[in-house]
């Protein structure tokens, strides 16, 4: 296997909240490893607050990581100077969740797209710039003529297309898609997912697809990583994850997703999780899922499980049920 | 699979945006009226030498305290000077003070607010505490102190008012910057590789424009009133130069004698100026907002 | 579920005066809601699904809103003609509400105890003591641990799921005949969503109230609904029992919607069968069928010019379409070369 496009090792993002004595550390992302090949899609799923969006932002250094290593095509991203970082951003773009908030309301949409061209000097003259903006809009299923319109004149789905066109402007190799369909109407979600798929096969893009909707993630991704409380708890090929999920949290997550079929939906047994996700300020010792895990046993409190190979090729999970691999918790 | 059927209308190129803004401003009838009145005021101030029937120093005790008439539209004051002419000349002072003082505080305050809000941290704390100190003095008191140190003159009055108003702009701008800075579109721009300077000039500034414009029109009005107050206290513009505030001061002694025109006309001038500034400010705020603009254009707001 | 009708809605129309003319947001809907029944109203944003229910108790701004039609509660009270004062005795007391965002539907400056007891004291005339006791019972019922202590907590001290439980407790506080859940789980995570839908089902079983569940999520509908109204462009385009609707959807919109959903365990990765275009704006509705511009079947010349009526095509199954999509065609669309593998059985893992 050749070197991957993106390699994330032991990435952590800690925030401090409060001041003085009330100062606390939020461990939003706490040691995440990910690998993504060129042209591949890696799904990152988990519930709100699990750190999936922060992970995406930290990879692009839109949030500064506290620790860890991000290697992109041989470049150490964390070591880039401010200037080099700006230049590097040409290769890695982002699509945001909220298509209403991610476009500047005071700029015509063509200008939002053109901004990327201006920053990296990617056009020769006004004519060429306009033509390129039109081409990008068209690529995303919008008419080039709409470039002079303002964001409020578009529907959510159309805005998301504009957001995608903007991300494509500098011809990146890699796009972080942060919940790109969550804010869209059901009948529009499929349109946008198809567009993303089409662009990937035409342009050879690699995606980090962040979402909470496992069905959508499974549709678009090659591999899926499941996050819980700042950690990746399981990673596998998309069908492998579905067919033989090994981590109790993944299984619970899968069983909670409603199936649009009353016959199957009503007869299936759900794994019910009790309680809430603990606070990332003070995560449980040992396995972070142990407070809600239906299969918890005494070692879970003692050992902080590491990702280990489990059933199937390239399938990893961080669970002591598969062998007590991890670091002993100091008392 | 293009779903843009809804967006059929042809689109003008982005360069025509300022035209759009202007046409939206004039589509708002109140704002248009404000623009017309302000233009007239500015013109009459500039052309006072030509337009005014008398010089502002032209006293003649034989015609003192005359009520409005064909010869003296706004009547005459206690020295027999033509009130209409003095109001016209007074517009020079008042508008100049307003424009210069507010321009000063607008530039300085916006700069401080931008830096403070965008950089945050210690810069923010230091700058904002300084502004708080400035802000905690009563406006007129601070102006008096400044003028007292610098000696009373038109320029010093303008400086005093400018300094006093700076924290207001700094605060308004900082507050808006703080919220705009967190917007997703700012992050999106950064994700494309935009520099701080580009983010501030392209995204932050235009989005803090609305509150700044409102604040500007309010401040212009207050600056004129402050100038009036300072002149009234005798530490602003020095006689015999006419200023609206100074004229009110003079008029005070003659209200009891029934010379109402001496106070009514300069007062009315202040009122009309302040009102039209506010109308233009509101109109400009809406016209600069693309969303408001399309609403205005689709129905022709009154 | 019994046959007793608790809410009967007829010819309900809601429109709003806007800058671009009158927006017809709800264009005539009828339904009967029975005791103990769960009626799901499904649709996208702008379909009129929320407004149609909120308008029953004037929870929309009037004007610019205008509501016509009738809605009989418990066979006697007609809601649409009621004054604001009369309605204030219906809202909360006979019809309870649970809204989408538990953060904004609770007042951050009051304790949840106060917010829970407010309605009971007002509607049921309970003393503070009694209301508090009942509040403790309610919190216990919705699964909040140590309810007595938590009564004096503020909303921000609860997690999202717990807050939604509190909102449900408030919705239930006066024993309503009808509970309206408007996208009540949309803002929640899937595992929390599962907890909340289970909770409502349990409470419904126990208390016998009817539930109107407004959602855009067909998966949620499949899990909980007895009957389903599919709304599009302000109209009910299909009404059926949940089983019938999913087994044999008949309206082109319903068929398209189902076919466009990604399905877990889908082996092949082909394009999703997306519905092209956008829903119409309520100020610019198509002259004929509301779905005509996006419909891939539209095989009748009346489609473009005439509004199709809601007709019964099978026992209890109503469709608003001139063109009846043949069963094989609908099945083909739904399958759309989908090969779905069955999920692993959670049961052999020894967990329930």
């Amino acid at each position: 296997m050749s070197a991957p496009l993106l390699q994330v090792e032991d990435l952590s993002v800690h925030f401090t909240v409060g001041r003085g004595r009330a100062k606390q550390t939020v461990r939003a992302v706490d040691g995440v490893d990910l690998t993504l090949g060129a042209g591949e899609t890696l799904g990152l799923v988990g519930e709100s607050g699990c750190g999936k969006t922060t992970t995406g932002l930290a990879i692009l250094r839109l949030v500064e990581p506290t620790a860890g290593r991000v290697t992109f095509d041989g470049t150490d991203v964390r070591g880039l100077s401010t200037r080099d970082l700006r230049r590097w951003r040409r290769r890695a773009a982002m699509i945001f969740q909220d298509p209403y908030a991610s476009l500047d309301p005071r700029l015509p949409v063509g200008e939002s797209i053109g901004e990327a061209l201006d920053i990296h000097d990617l056009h020769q003259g006004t004519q060429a710039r306009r033509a390129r903006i039109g081409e990008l809009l068209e690529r995303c299923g919008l008419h080039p003529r709409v470039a002079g319109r303002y964001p409020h004149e578009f529907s959510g789905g159309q805005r998301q297309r504009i957001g995608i066109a903007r991300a494509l402007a500098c011809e990146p190799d890699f796009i972080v898609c942060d919940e790109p369909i969550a804010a869209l109407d059901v009948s529009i979600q499929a349109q946008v997912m198809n567009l993303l798929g089409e662009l990937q096969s035409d342009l050879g893009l690699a995606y980090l697809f962040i979402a909470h909707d496992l069905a959508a993630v499974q549709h678009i991704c090659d591999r899926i990583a499941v996050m819980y409380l700042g950690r990746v708890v399981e990673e596998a090929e998309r069908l492998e994850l579905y067919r033989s999920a090994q981590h109790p949290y993944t299984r619970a997550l899968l069983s909670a997703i409603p199936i649009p079929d009353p016959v199957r939906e009503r007869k299936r047994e759900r794994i019910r999780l009790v309680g809430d996700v603990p606070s990332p300020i003070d995560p449980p010792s040992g396995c972070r899922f142990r407070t809600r895990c239906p299969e918890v046993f005494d070692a879970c409190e003692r050992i902080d499980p590491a990702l280990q190979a489990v059933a199937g090729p390239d399938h990893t999970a961080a669970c002591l049920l598969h062998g007590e691999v991890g670091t002993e918790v100091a008392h | 699979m293009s779903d843009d059927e809804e967006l059929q209308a042809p689109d003008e190129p982005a360069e025509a945006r300022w035209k759009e803004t202007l046409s939206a401003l004039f589509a708002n009838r109140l704002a248009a009226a404000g623009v017309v009145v302000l233009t007239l005021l500015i013109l009459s101030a500039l052309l006072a030498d030509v337009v005014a029937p008398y010089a502002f120093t032209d006293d003649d005790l034989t015609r003192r305290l005359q009520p409005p008439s064909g010869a003296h539209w706004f009547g005459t004051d206690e020295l027999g000077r033509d009130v209409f002419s003095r109001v016209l000349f007074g517009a020079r002072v008042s508008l100049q003070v307003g424009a210069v003082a507010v321009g000063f505080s607008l530039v300085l305050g916006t700069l401080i607010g931008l830096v403070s809000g965008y950089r945050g941290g210690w810069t923010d704390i230091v700058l904002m505490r300084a502004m708080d100190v400035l802000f905690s003095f009563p406006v007129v008191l601070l102006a008096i102190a400044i003028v007292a140190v610098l000696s009373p003159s038109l320029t010093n009055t303008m400086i005093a008012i400018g300094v006093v108003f700076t924290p207001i702009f700094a605060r308004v701008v900082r507050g808006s910057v703080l919220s705009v800075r967190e917007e997703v579109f700012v992050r999106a721009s950064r994700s494309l590789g935009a520099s701080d300077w580009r983010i501030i000039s392209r995204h932050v500034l235009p989005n803090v424009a609305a509150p700044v414009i409102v604040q500007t029109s309010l401040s212009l009005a207050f600056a004129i009133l402050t100038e009036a107050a300072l002149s009234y206290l005798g530490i602003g513009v020095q006689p015999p130069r006419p200023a609206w505030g100074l004229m009110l001061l003079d008029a005070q002694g003659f209200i009891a004698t029934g010379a109402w025109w001496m106070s009514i006309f300069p007062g009315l001038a202040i009122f009309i100026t302040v009102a039209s500034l506010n109308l233009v400010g509101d109109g400009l705020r809406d016209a600069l907002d693309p969303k408001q603009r399309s609403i205005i254009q689709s129905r022709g707001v009154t | 579920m019994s046959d007793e009708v608790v809410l009967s809605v007829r010819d309900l129309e809601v429109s709003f005066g806007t800058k671009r003319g009158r927006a017809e947001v709800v264009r005539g809907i009828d339904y009967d809601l029975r005791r103990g029944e769960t009626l799901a109203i499904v649709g996208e944003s702008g379909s009129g699904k929320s407004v149609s229910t909120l308008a029953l108790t004037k929870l929309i701004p009037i004007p610019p809103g205008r509501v016509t039609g009738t809605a009989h509660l418990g066979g006697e009270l007609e809601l649409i003609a009621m004054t604001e004062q009369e309605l204030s005795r219906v809202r909360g007391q006979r019809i309870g509400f649970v809204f989408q965002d538990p953060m904004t539907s609770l007042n951050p400056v009051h304790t949840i105890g106060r917010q829970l007891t407010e309605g009971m004291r007002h509607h049921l005339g309970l003393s503070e003591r009694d209301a508090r006791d009942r509040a403790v019972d309610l919190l216990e019922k919705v699964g909040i641990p140590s309810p007595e202590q938590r009564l004096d907590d503020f909303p921000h001290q609860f997690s999202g799921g717990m807050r939604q439980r509190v909102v449900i407790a408030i919705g239930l506080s006066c024993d309503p005949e009808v509970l309206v859940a408007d996208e009540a789980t949309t803002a929640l995570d899937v595992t929390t969503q599962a907890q909340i839908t289970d909770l409502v089902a349990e409470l419904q079983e126990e208390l016998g109230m009817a539930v109107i569940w407004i959602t855009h999520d067909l998966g949620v509908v499949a899990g909980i609904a007895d009957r389903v109204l599919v709304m599009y462009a302000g109209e009910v385009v299909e009404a059926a029992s949940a089983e019938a609707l999913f087994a044999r959807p008949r309206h082109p919109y319903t068929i398209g919607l189902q076919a466009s959903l990604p399905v877990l365990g889908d082996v092949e990765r082909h394009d999703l069968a997306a519905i092209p275009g956008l829903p119409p704006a309520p100020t610019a509705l198509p002259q004929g069928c509301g779905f005509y511009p996006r419909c891939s079947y539209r095989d009748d010349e009346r489609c473009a010019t005439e509004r199709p009526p809601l007709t019964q095509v099978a026992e209890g199954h109503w469709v608003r379409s001139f063109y009846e999509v043949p069963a094989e065609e609908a099945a083909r669309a739904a399958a759309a070369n989908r090969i779905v593998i069955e999920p692993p059985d959670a049961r052999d893992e020894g967990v329930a």
Side-chain angles (χ1 to χ4, degrees), chain C residues 39-332:
Chain C
L39 175 73
I41 305 184
V42 196
E44 300 177 69
S45 52
S47 63
K49 62 180 190 302
S50 290
V51 173
S52 63
T53 314
L54 298 183
L56 296 178
T57 56
K58 293 205 173 78
L59 282 173
I60 55 168
I62 299 173
R66 192 167 65 195
V67 185
T68 59
T70 61
H72 286 93
L73 183 65
E76 8 101 49
L77 288 175
E78 204 288 301
L79 302 175
I80 308 295
M82 273 190 178
T83 63
E84 184 60 27
Q85 205 179 1
E86 292 167 317
L87 277 173
S88 74
R89 301 217 61 89
V90 173
R91 285 184 213 134
Q93 181 170 12
R94 303 194 55 183
I95 303 182
F97 290 90
V98 180
F99 295 107
Q100 171 170 353
D101 189 347
M103 196 64 236
T104 53
S105 51
L106 290 172
N107 188 334
V109 302
H110 294 309
T111 64
I112 61 134
R114 167 145 181 212
Q115 298 185 58
L116 249 171
T117 50
E118 198 178 18
M120 295 190 270
R121 298 188 59 189
H122 173 70
H123 291 306
L124 308 180
L126 296 184
S127 71
E128 190 167 348
R129 191 67 262 151
D130 293 346
R132 228 183 131 80
D133 288 345
R134 198 175 144 79
V136 172
D137 288 346
L138 280 163
L139 287 184
E140 188 149 30
K141 206 173 270 174
V142 297
I144 291 185
S146 45
E148 224 140 331
Q149 284 99 63
R150 306 235 57 184
L151 266 189
D152 297 318
D153 283 350
F154 288 90
H156 70 267
Q157 292 166 292
F158 291 78
S159 70
M162 284 295 155
R163 274 200 289 265
Q164 198 60 310
R165 286 168 190 266
V166 172
V167 175
I168 291 174
I170 294 174
L172 294 174
S173 61
C174 300
D175 258 330
E177 291 139 88
V178 179
L179 183 72
V180 175
D182 187 359
E183 298 275 15
T185 59
T186 305
L188 305 176
D189 283 317
V190 273
T191 53
T192 318
Q193 167 171 285
Q195 294 171 355
I196 297 291
T197 51
D198 287 353
L199 171 69
V200 172
E202 276 160 30
L203 293 169
Q204 189 175 16
E205 186 96 349
E206 188 185 328
L207 308 171
M209 75 220 164
V211 175
I212 299 180
W213 199 288
I214 301 166
T215 180
H216 68 279
D217 189 334
L218 283 174
V220 170
V221 172
I224 57 165
D226 298 308
R227 246 161 14 99
V228 186
L229 303 181
V230 182
M231 285 192 72
Y232 187 82
E235 296 176 314
V236 172
V237 292
E238 186 159 1
S241 70
E243 287 77 10
L245 188 87
F246 285 93
R248 168 115 165 71
R250 290 166 190 259
H251 193 281
Y253 175 64
T254 323
I255 294 169
L257 211 53
Q258 278 191 37
S260 74
L261 292 178
V263 170
L264 266 180
D266 197 354
V267 177
E268 286 294 317
R269 278 200 298 168
H270 45 77
D271 270 2
L272 293 167
I275 303 175
L278 299 172
T283 44
L285 293 168
Q287 187 196 357
C289 170
F291 190 57
Y292 177 79
R294 303 175 75 190
C295 184
S296 46
Y297 298 97
R298 54 184 193 197
D299 210 30
D300 191 298
E301 68 267 21
R302 288 170 299 174
C303 291
T305 51
E306 239 178 275
R307 242 179 97 183
L310 196 61
T311 41
Q312 183 158 232
V313 290
E315 178 61 35
H317 197 145
W318 299 72
V319 180
R320 190 187 290 280
S321 173
F322 288 119
Y323 179 73
E324 202 187 321
V325 184
E328 320 79 68
E329 215 171 323
R332 199 165 343 117

Side-chain angles (χ1 to χ4, degrees), chain A residues 19-270:
Chain A
R19 277 193 189 155
R21 225 176 249 206
K23 206 157 160 179
Q24 286 172 311
T25 304
V26 180
R27 299 161 173 274
V29 180
D30 208 21
V32 162
D33 297 316
L34 297 168
T35 307
L36 177 66
E40 249 184 24
T41 304
L42 174 65
L44 199 54
V45 295
E47 298 182 281
S48 52
C50 72
K52 56 188 192 297
T53 295
T54 312
T55 303
L57 293 171
I59 289 172
L60 298 181
R61 273 184 70 188
L62 290 168
V63 159
E64 284 299 332
T66 316
R69 223 181 141 72
V70 177
T71 317
F72 182 88
D73 199 12
T75 312
D76 172 18
V77 178
R78 285 195 67 202
L80 293 174
S81 68
T82 316
R83 243 185 98 161
D84 291 339
L85 176 66
R86 285 214 302 271
R87 229 173 275 148
W88 172 74
R89 287 200 166 132
R90 209 190 133 172
R91 304 195 55 194
M94 181 148 185
I95 297 168
F96 297 86
Q97 168 170 9
D98 185 347
Y100 292 87
S102 62
L103 295 171
D104 188 336
R106 288 177 187 264
L107 280 186
V109 299
E111 290 305 301
S112 280
I113 298 170
E115 183 169 27
L117 303 174
D118 302 341
I119 292 168
H120 300 288
D121 269 329
L122 295 180
H123 59 86
Q124 267 80 44
T126 324
Q127 277 304 323
R129 181 175 184 270
R130 190 178 299 171
R132 175 75 178 129
I133 292 169
E135 186 186 304
L136 286 162
L137 282 168
E138 206 155 18
R139 192 75 199 68
C140 296
L142 292 166
H143 199 284
R145 220 168 32 195
V146 303
R149 301 196 154 229
Y150 289 89
H152 72 266
E153 299 174 72
F154 296 87
S155 71
Q158 290 169 329
R159 288 184 205 209
Q160 202 54 296
R161 287 169 189 272
I162 294 160
I164 296 172
R166 173 176 60 189
L168 292 178
C170 336
E171 301 169 45
D173 308 306
F174 166 58
I175 302 182
V176 173
C177 308
D178 182 18
E179 299 266 17
I181 58 165
L184 306 179
D185 264 322
V186 191
S187 80
I188 306 301
Q189 290 185 350
Q191 293 178 2
V192 171
M193 294 216 345
N194 285 349
L195 174 64
L196 287 172
E198 219 176 274
L199 293 170
Q200 177 167 46
S201 53
D202 292 358
L203 307 172
L205 298 165
Y207 290 143
L208 179 66
F209 193 92
I210 301 167
H212 67 275
D213 178 352
L214 249 172
V217 168
Q218 208 205 37
H219 178 82
I220 204 159
C221 298
D222 302 304
R223 301 179 56 74
I224 300 173
V226 181
M227 278 186 80
Y228 185 80
L229 215 56
R231 291 272 175 84
V232 171
V233 295
E234 184 160 10
E235 194 192 322
E237 189 272 331
R238 64 182 199 105
L239 287 177
E240 167 77 14
L241 185 88
Y242 176 67
R243 233 181 326 229
S244 67
Q246 297 298 317
H247 197 285
Y249 176 64
T250 312
R251 280 193 227 134
L253 202 59
L254 280 167
S255 88
I257 295 166
I259 302 172
D261 175 354
V263 184
R264 275 170 68 198
E265 174 68 12
R266 279 168 213 200
K267 71 169 194 223
R268 103 189 147 124
E269 288 286 333
R270 243 184 218 150

